[in-house]
Amino acid sequence: MRIHLTSVFVDDQEKALRFYTDVLGFEKKHDIPMGGEDRWLTVVSPEDPGGTELLLEPDKHPAVKPYTSALAEDGIPAASFAVDDVPAEFDRLRALGVRFTQEPLAMGPVTTAVLDDTCGNLIQVVQGG
């Protein structure tokens, strides 16, 4: 068994697509209209285009906003993405205007940083472990 799909709830799919592709560097995999404004919209890593997909899921369900707001208020990331070099990724993303809630922090064998995806989520980038 392996993870095929995971998701983050987003407040605006188009804005999320731009952030996750133009800023973070993922590639769009699926973009299928689901009625109204909603889409089945997934991105993948260009390093593994056949790998795990990230669904940029609309946050329309009434339970979503209280859940995502509580996570963000408590500083809890909604997802974690592996990178080769957290300080270098921090510098690259910060130069693109990304806001971080946690600068690179070494904790034993791992280094992490946490960014705001502009769509309602905190996202952790991690190296090592």
Side-chain angles (χ1 to χ4, degrees):
M1 190 176 300
R2 64 187 189 280
I3 298 171
H4 169 69
L5 176 80
T6 190
S7 64
V8 291
F9 292 107
V10 298
D11 58 11
D12 180 319
Q13 284 186 300
E14 192 57 39
K15 178 175 71 169
L17 179 62
R18 285 191 306 272
F19 183 83
Y20 280 82
T21 57
D22 296 346
V23 177
L24 296 186
F26 290 102
E27 294 178 346
K28 181 169 62 172
K29 175 102 180 207
H30 296 289
D31 189 352
I32 303 166
M34 298 300 291
E37 297 176 11
D38 296 339
R39 299 144 61 184
W40 181 262
L41 183 59
T42 66
V43 296
V44 294
S45 168
E47 297 171 19
D48 189 13
T52 305
E53 295 177 46
L54 178 66
L55 174 63
L56 304 176
E57 188 162 357
D59 68 354
K60 299 220 174 34
H61 188 282
V64 171
K65 288 194 187 203
Y67 169 74
T68 56
S69 293
L71 288 179
E73 287 170 16
D74 288 345
I76 300 170
S80 182
F81 303 145
V83 297
D84 293 331
D85 184 336
V86 167
E89 196 66 15
F90 172 82
D91 290 342
R92 180 185 81 81
L93 293 172
R94 195 166 204 179
L96 293 172
V98 173
R99 185 179 76 82
F100 281 80
T101 61
Q102 177 203 302
E103 294 193 3
L105 178 64
M107 298 175 285
V110 300
T111 300
T112 65
V114 178
L115 61 93
D116 179 342
D117 78 351
T118 74
C119 304
N121 303 291
L122 298 178
I123 302 294
Q124 181 182 66
V125 290
V126 63
Q127 160 192 349

